[in-house]
Amino acid sequence: MSNNILILKTEIQVQNLKCTRCARIIEKKMNSIEGIEKVEVVVSKATVSFNYQNDEQLGIVKQSLFKVGYPSLDTENTTSSKVKSYVSCLIRKTKQ
């Protein structure tokens, strides 16, 4: 019996993604989620692509992106999300 695991690939368009600092925040968050692999953030398209194994992981990704201020297009871009992304980016900029 083999342990074949179906690997799915998707691309999510996100809001508030403006620069490479934002991309690094997203990559760091995504790489901390179990089962998420091959994360690629394209700032010019405001997209995040990655491999995952099930719908639960996809939900966790969308929730995690929202929590750090980069909600997917199908999620409301609240004032809180906008502020979180701006502040995170600003903090990283001042540390450099």
Side-chain angles (χ1 to χ4, degrees):
M1 180 165 44
S2 65
N3 286 335
N4 290 337
I5 297 174
L6 180 62
I7 303 296
L8 305 166
K9 182 175 178 87
T10 194
E11 180 178 89
I12 297 175
Q13 195 161 15
V14 296
Q15 302 174 73
N16 307 327
L17 176 55
K18 305 287 187 229
C19 66
T20 56
R21 287 182 298 278
C22 297
R24 285 193 294 264
I25 291 166
I26 291 170
E27 287 170 351
K28 183 177 180 180
K29 186 64 175 176
M30 298 280 293
N31 286 323
S32 72
I33 301 170
E34 185 176 340
I36 303 301
E37 299 176 338
K38 297 186 179 179
V39 176
E40 182 181 2
V41 180
V42 179
V43 175
S44 62
K45 294 181 178 181
T47 59
V48 181
S49 61
F50 55 94
N51 292 351
Y52 67 105
Q53 298 171 8
N54 58 55
D55 288 340
E56 181 182 352
Q57 290 172 329
L58 184 58
I60 291 168
V61 164
K62 286 186 173 186
Q63 185 177 43
S64 296
L65 289 170
F66 179 81
K67 285 181 179 178
V68 294
Y70 305 96
S72 59
L73 280 183
D74 62 349
T75 304
E76 181 183 0
N77 192 10
T78 63
T79 301
S80 175
S81 292
K82 293 173 188 175
V83 169
K84 284 179 188 177
S85 66
Y86 177 76
V87 170
S88 294
C89 191
L90 185 61
I91 289 170
R92 287 209 182 264
K93 186 175 184 177
T94 59
K95 287 183 177 181
Q96 293 179 349

